[in-house]
Amino acid sequence: MTDQNFTVPTMADMMASGQQPEVLFWVGCSGSFDDRAKKITKAFVKILNSAKVPFAVLGTEESCTGDPAKRAGNEFLFQMQAMANIEVLNAYEVKKIVTACPHCFNTIKNEYPELGGNYEVVHHTQFLKSLLDDGRLTIEGGQFKGKKITFHDPCYLGRANNIYEAPRDLMEKLDAELVEMKRSKLNGLCCGAGGAQMFKEPEKGNKDVNVERTEDALETQPEIIAAGCPFCNTMLTDGVKAKNREHDIKVMDVAELIANAKDL
């Protein structure tokens, strides 16, 4: 990994040198602290650097969006976390935010405005698609040409915000064979981590949701299960392990697919 492929300026650095980035990359808790999700963060940063996109992160000034608190029913804690973030974002006069986490995306896009946080918020697959459309990013199939990939729609990207095409358009550019699960798009099934379930053990039942969802994916006989959410990535990875298929099936984020195809 060369340094030129991996520069991550902070908003504080940018402001100090009198610059305003094109986008603020909101990393999120998973992308910052979870070892698996950090790889997604790095892949996305490499693509941004490669496409010469002027971006910045908040670094230590970024806090949790408050999504888990709100979904778990603690509205008071959510508002405290949200207001603190909005204060920081507004102080930096942030206009456009990109994030690789649909939970952060949904919360900042749909729930921050009523608390005074109004920004253009895009999911990383939408942003990558726009870079592609503008000719700032090129994708060749490379190692994924002809590979069988199935895409799992994250709840907060798909059903909550009607974003279905951007991730699929990107994967088609990889010359991969995109196969749909029976339950996909509007009828997609949750990975089991939403509503703050990510942070607790499942209740007793006949089968874990993530295993059920992984079975949907395995029916398509994929080589790769693609996701666009760090929570989904964790749950599907656990599901693949539960089925003892980790030796022949990979779970990868769309950004990782592109970064790998470009050998970044």
Side-chain angles (χ1 to χ4, degrees):
M1 189 198 303
T2 58
D3 287 338
Q4 69 190 42
N5 267 2
F6 208 76
T7 47
V8 186
T10 63
M11 282 300 292
D13 294 340
M14 280 253 173
M15 289 293 274
S17 61
Q19 295 171 284
Q20 187 73 8
E22 182 183 332
V23 287
L24 172 80
F25 172 29
W26 185 275
V27 184
C29 298
S30 279
S32 301
F33 300 114
D34 180 81
D35 284 343
R36 176 65 188 88
K38 283 180 197 171
K39 294 177 181 173
I40 300 169
T41 303
K42 286 179 179 170
F44 186 57
V45 166
K46 286 178 187 175
I47 298 168
L48 292 176
N49 286 161
S50 162
K52 296 185 169 49
V53 175
F55 77 98
V57 298
L58 285 176
T60 53
E61 293 184 274
E62 181 186 302
S63 174
C64 178
T65 59
D67 165 77
K70 188 177 181 77
R71 305 302 155 221
N74 193 336
E75 180 66 24
F76 177 68
L77 177 58
F78 161 71
Q79 293 206 11
M80 279 174 58
Q81 291 178 304
M83 302 285 274
N85 284 323
I86 289 166
E87 209 169 289
V88 172
L89 291 166
N90 289 350
Y92 281 125
E93 298 179 6
V94 169
K95 303 282 187 287
K96 185 171 183 176
I97 297 172
V98 62
T99 178
C101 175
H103 295 256
C104 299
F105 165 75
N106 180 70
T107 304
I108 300 172
K109 176 176 183 281
N110 298 322
E111 286 159 355
Y112 275 26
E114 63 186 358
L115 297 170
N118 295 286
Y119 320 102
E120 181 190 351
V121 191
V122 293
H123 185 248
H124 73 318
T125 57
Q126 291 177 296
F127 191 68
L128 292 173
K129 173 82 169 63
S130 70
L131 292 179
L132 198 66
D133 292 344
D134 296 344
R136 297 165 75 185
L137 175 68
T138 54
I139 306 173
E140 286 86 37
Q143 58 180 290
F144 300 109
K145 196 176 176 72
K147 286 257 170 90
K148 220 173 180 187
I149 301 179
T150 190
F151 179 69
H152 161 78
D153 290 285
C155 294
Y156 277 125
L157 191 62
R159 288 173 304 173
N161 287 288
N162 291 314
I163 296 163
Y164 298 111
E165 299 315 319
R168 287 173 171 82
D169 289 348
L170 290 168
M171 285 181 286
E172 276 167 12
K173 289 283 189 296
L174 296 169
D175 297 329
E177 184 192 342
L178 195 56
V179 281
E180 294 289 358
M181 299 182 220
K182 279 182 192 154
R183 290 185 274 197
S184 70
K185 298 189 178 176
L186 201 57
N187 300 314
L189 180 73
C190 178
C191 72
Q197 299 294 316
M198 177 77 173
F199 308 104
K200 57 182 274 299
E201 291 304 313
E203 285 89 4
K204 281 191 168 64
N206 300 328
K207 187 197 289 184
D208 288 353
V209 177
N210 65 317
V211 172
E212 173 85 8
R213 187 52 170 162
T214 303
E215 286 170 359
D216 283 356
L218 295 181
E219 269 181 29
T220 67
Q221 299 181 311
E223 291 168 77
I224 295 163
I225 302 172
C229 169
F231 287 15
C232 297
N233 196 302
T234 296
M235 299 304 272
L236 293 167
T237 300
D238 287 352
V240 168
K241 284 177 183 167
K243 293 287 177 185
N244 294 314
R245 295 294 300 276
E246 66 265 37
H247 58 283
D248 65 333
I249 294 177
K250 287 181 179 171
V251 179
M252 296 178 77
D253 188 87
V254 176
E256 293 179 303
L257 292 171
I258 294 170
N260 284 15
K262 290 179 71 67
D263 290 327
L264 294 177

